[in-house]
Amino acid sequence: MNIHTYEKTWLAVSMVLIVGFIATVTYGAVGPGIAMIDDDGGSIDPDTINDDERFNDPGVTHVGENEYEAAVVAQAWTYTPSEITVPANSTVTFYVTSRDVTHSFTVAGTNVNTMVVPGQISEMTVEFDEPGEYGILCNEYCGAYHHTMEGKLNVVP
Ligand code: CUA
């Protein structure tokens, strides 16, 4: 092999790595037994959250055989609902919005992690293959009691 061939080989290898890294970020497994499928959103007027069908009584809705939707409202310093329970082997689309300032919706130990910005709906679809218990926490500084802002996610058998 001459130098030129080495160069081409390494260029190809690095391209594969870069594409691989991007694929991992986009499609990668997000934690033990769960996988992110989709991450999209929409907008909402933070002052009229209560008029929105999804957010006036936020929680988990069964929408298909193994499909659920979970609407969550973040505000200083709580999530509503504070506890989410879904069955294992289900696909859950989360819709999360904020009533006040920027928070995050982060499922500890996984890469389910989205900023929750007032005026926007953070949408994420996640597959839960295995039962488990996860902490939900806020990792965007949102004021004096930011560190106490937490919830719970139960994936039940
Ligand atoms: Cu909400 Cu930090």
Side-chain angles (χ1 to χ4, degrees), residues 77 102-104 138-142 146 149:
W77 293 280
T102 298
H103 301 276
S104 89
C138 177
N139 65 16
E140 293 290 329
Y141 182 73
C142 57
H146 155 71
M149 186 163 172

